[in-house]
């Protein structure tokens, strides 16, 4: 029987080859619809959309899992554009 591995352990072995110069996701950090912002913030499994105490949105594409959830939820709204990273950049899943 194979050993059980939890999600945190699976994510911890992923490798990122980050494109330091080009974000593959363009976010409108001044997007006014707070409900839309909250929806995306709650849905991102990597928790890379965050709000500070003043409600200012921060987004850093480093650590993106390329799941496409924010694209599906909010492309053309909070998410101005979404593309996969170029070439060999981005996440390399090691345990699926
Ligand atoms: S693609 Fe997925 S992991 Fe990446 S920012 Fe969007 S919701 Fe988060």
């Amino acid at each position: 029987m194979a050993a059980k591995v939890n999600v945190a352990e699976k994510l911890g072995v992923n490798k990122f080859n980050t494109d330091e110069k080009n974000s593959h996701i363009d976010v409108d950090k001044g997007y006014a619809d707070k409900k839309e912002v909250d929806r995306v913030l709650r849905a991102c499994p990597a928790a890379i959309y965050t709000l500070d105490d003043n409600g200012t949105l921060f987004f850093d594409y480093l650590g993106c899992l390329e799941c496409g959830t924010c694209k599906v939820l909010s492309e053309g709204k909070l998410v101005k554009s979404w593309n996969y990273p170029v070439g060999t950049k981005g996440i390399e899943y090691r345990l699926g």
Side-chain angles (χ1 to χ4, degrees):
M1 186 169 140
K4 289 185 178 179
V5 179
N6 68 33
V7 172
E9 289 172 333
K10 280 188 172 184
L11 290 175
V13 297
N14 291 333
K15 180 181 171 190
F16 290 90
N17 184 12
T18 303
D19 187 342
E20 305 267 344
K21 295 181 181 162
N22 303 299
S23 174
H24 62 288
I25 305 173
D26 188 13
V27 171
D28 181 356
K29 293 180 182 172
Y31 198 74
D33 185 342
K34 299 303 179 197
K35 278 189 176 177
E36 182 70 13
V37 172
D38 188 57
R39 197 163 76 113
V40 173
L41 190 142
R42 289 172 184 266
C44 174
I48 58 178
Y49 292 87
T50 57
L51 293 174
D52 69 7
D53 292 341
N54 298 319
T56 303
L57 176 65
F58 289 89
F59 171 78
D60 189 344
Y61 64 98
L62 307 177
C64 174
L65 300 173
E66 298 170 31
C67 67
T69 301
C70 59
K71 171 185 170 72
V72 171
L73 286 178
S74 198
E75 189 170 36
K77 295 181 275 185
L78 176 64
V79 177
K80 293 198 287 187
S81 69
W82 194 105
N83 296 285
Y84 282 108
V86 296
T88 58
K89 301 292 185 183
I91 190 168
E92 179 183 313
Y93 286 99
R94 295 202 163 153
L95 289 177

